[in-house]
Amino acid sequence: MKRLGCGLFIALGILIIILFEYFPDEFSAMLSKFGLPQTTIEERENTEIEHTIPEIKLENKEIPNYTNENGLQGLIGHSSSFVEFEFGRPERVDPTSYGYEWWIYNANEEGYLQIGIESNEVVTIYAMDVGDISEPFISGTDYEQLVQNYPFQEHVSLSKGVGSYRFELTDAELVSRPLIQIHEDIWVQLYFDTFTRKLSSVRYLTGDILLRQRPYSVTYRGELPQEEQFSKEEWRQIEIGAERQIFDVTNIIRLRHGLPLLKWESEVSTVAYGHSEDMYKNNYFSHTSPTFGELKDRFEREGISFYFAGENIAAQYVDSIEAVEGWLNSEGHRVNLLNEEFTHLGVGVYERYYTQNFMTPWAIQ
């Protein structure tokens, strides 16, 4: 009886998943008829972008010649000791708000790599311009080539335990950051430069991490992972890591376009952090602070002299990676990212509010 009951339970579970996947409206109506719990829809909170620490340096050294025949996705599930054997010690380790730590491998002209480690195991990877080790998801690959080989779907389903989840992508997301499944528990987000229609970067992640981040609207039955709570001090360490990542990725993008690297400017970073904190605490999203005014006013308040300045802001992105890729696909922000006249950059992150302040000091003119 136990075996029969178990088999019946499994059969019913499979039937429920099939009904949920292919007949969501009819299934919800049936649940309502019998007074059962309804499917829940979590709309992804709108991300917003708006136009207009010690010094961190990019060192000129190569990412090790990783040769796993499965590419970077072959790292998922491997141990941290395996990563260290293949890639060496990371240049730094940044905490995150999702339970894992980013091991940062920043190799300047040879690409940029972040490997997410949780409980001594690889659970996510982010790669930009690393060459063949990310094959077939190599930066610079045409959108049309990848969509032909991996048709992008507006509905992507995931099952975990007794839970069923369906991510719902908008038309804009299908163009800029589609989601595909390449293995039983390996998912890939492809970040495209929508101006060139070429792949900018790639993120690999397990189903658990995908559910924690929820970068798209999701319809689900079951439970969603609860967000972890952090102290002010813990958040600040997470924010510092995000600031460094934004600085690094910005410079990799500039290298891709043949532009000079920006230098980290600590005083400008302080101004940027203050603006992110001000937006968060006073519940607004604008370049103009009700208290501290425009960027020019904020620079002058800190005694920063500049010849040329610009600002990018963003809010409610899941992390720094998505914020930068979002800026890259917004014309006004892209102008700042790729402006050859800027020489310095300060970055300030307060929880999920992000500010980039670009500038060229008078002394350089």
Side-chain angles (χ1 to χ4, degrees), residues 116-223:
I117 305 290
E118 181 179 29
S119 300
N120 295 316
E121 184 176 301
V122 178
V123 294
T124 184
I125 303 164
Y126 174 75
M128 172 180 278
D129 293 352
V130 295
D132 291 345
I133 64 171
S134 63
E135 192 174 0
F137 310 116
I138 300 174
S139 296
T141 303
D142 290 335
Y143 181 94
E144 288 72 18
Q145 179 180 338
L146 286 171
V147 75
Q148 183 177 3
N149 295 330
Y150 302 90
F152 304 149
Q153 306 292 332
E154 62 180 5
H155 296 143
V156 180
S157 297
L158 181 158
S159 296
K160 279 287 179 182
V162 297
S164 297
Y165 309 86
R166 186 174 65 183
F167 293 99
E168 301 178 354
L169 282 67
T170 65
D171 290 342
E173 289 168 339
L174 286 173
V175 172
S176 63
R177 52 187 187 102
L179 174 69
I180 61 176
Q181 184 179 14
I182 61 171
H183 190 267
E184 181 180 356
D185 194 38
I186 301 178
W187 306 79
V188 172
Q189 284 184 284
L190 300 173
Y191 295 99
F192 285 95
D193 182 331
T194 57
F195 287 81
T196 64
R197 290 185 67 82
K198 294 183 181 297
L199 186 66
S200 175
S201 59
V202 57
R203 188 199 303 247
Y204 307 84
L205 61 173
T206 64
D208 284 336
I209 301 302
L210 182 59
L211 285 175
R212 288 181 213 170
Q213 294 185 340
R214 300 194 293 281
Y216 313 94
S217 294
V218 58
T219 301
Y220 65 95
R221 281 185 55 78
E223 296 183 355

Side-chain angles (χ1 to χ4, degrees), residues 69-346:
E69 62 181 12
N70 294 319
L72 282 179
Q73 62 261 36
L75 281 177
I76 298 291
H78 270 294
S79 67
S80 56
S81 58
F82 178 84
V83 172
E84 189 168 338
F85 175 80
E86 290 286 345
F87 294 91
R89 291 183 177 275
E91 294 192 26
R92 67 174 190 272
V93 175
D94 294 341
T96 75
S97 61
Y98 297 107
Y100 57 85
E101 294 180 325
W102 279 125
W103 287 22
I104 308 297
Y105 294 90
N106 187 344
N108 197 7
E109 296 179 3
E110 300 300 329
Y112 180 79
L113 185 64
Q114 298 183 187
I115 300 177
I117 305 290
E118 181 179 29
S119 300
N120 295 316
E121 184 176 301
V122 178
V123 294
T124 184
I125 303 164
Y126 174 75
M128 172 180 278
D129 293 352
V130 295
D132 291 345
I133 64 171
S134 63
E135 192 174 0
F137 310 116
I138 300 174
S139 296
T141 303
D142 290 335
Y143 181 94
E144 288 72 18
Q145 179 180 338
L146 286 171
V147 75
Q148 183 177 3
N149 295 330
Y150 302 90
F152 304 149
Q153 306 292 332
E154 62 180 5
H155 296 143
V156 180
S157 297
L158 181 158
S159 296
K160 279 287 179 182
V162 297
S164 297
Y165 309 86
R166 186 174 65 183
F167 293 99
E168 301 178 354
L169 282 67
T170 65
D171 290 342
E173 289 168 339
L174 286 173
V175 172
S176 63
R177 52 187 187 102
L179 174 69
I180 61 176
Q181 184 179 14
I182 61 171
H183 190 267
E184 181 180 356
D185 194 38
I186 301 178
W187 306 79
V188 172
Q189 284 184 284
L190 300 173
Y191 295 99
F192 285 95
D193 182 331
T194 57
F195 287 81
T196 64
R197 290 185 67 82
K198 294 183 181 297
L199 186 66
S200 175
S201 59
V202 57
R203 188 199 303 247
Y204 307 84
L205 61 173
T206 64
D208 284 336
I209 301 302
L210 182 59
L211 285 175
R212 288 181 213 170
Q213 294 185 340
R214 300 194 293 281
Y216 313 94
S217 294
V218 58
T219 301
Y220 65 95
R221 281 185 55 78
E223 296 183 355
L224 291 174
Q226 296 298 309
E227 290 189 11
E228 189 174 349
Q229 301 300 308
F230 300 97
S231 67
K232 182 178 180 180
E233 292 73 21
E234 289 170 331
W235 259 120
R236 189 61 197 126
Q237 293 306 307
I238 293 169
E239 293 159 357
I240 289 172
E243 291 167 358
R244 293 171 174 176
Q245 292 158 33
I246 288 174
F247 177 76
D248 288 345
V249 173
T250 297
N251 269 332
I252 294 298
I253 290 172
R254 288 176 66 87
L255 278 173
R256 178 188 293 168
H257 289 270
L259 298 170
L261 298 179
L262 299 171
K263 296 180 181 179
W264 180 268
E265 179 55 61
S266 296
E267 291 182 348
V268 174
S269 181
T270 299
V271 173
Y273 177 78
H275 191 56
S276 291
E277 181 181 28
D278 187 38
M279 288 191 292
Y280 173 87
K281 290 185 174 180
N282 293 294
N283 194 30
Y284 74 93
F285 183 74
S286 171
H287 290 288
T288 304
S289 165
T291 306
F292 303 109
E294 306 283 348
L295 176 61
K296 175 178 178 293
D297 302 319
R298 285 178 264 132
F299 272 10
E300 290 177 348
R301 187 169 180 268
E302 294 297 324
I304 299 173
S305 299
F306 64 95
Y307 171 76
F308 195 42
E311 180 173 81
N312 288 341
I313 58 176
Q316 305 307 331
Y317 282 84
V318 298
D319 61 11
S320 57
I321 291 169
E322 292 220 334
V324 179
E325 293 289 357
W327 285 327
L328 184 64
N329 285 329
S330 168
E331 186 172 1
H333 302 86
R334 186 184 182 91
V335 167
N336 283 339
L337 286 171
L338 303 181
N339 194 318
E340 62 182 7
E341 294 192 53
F342 289 133
T343 59
H344 293 69
L345 175 64

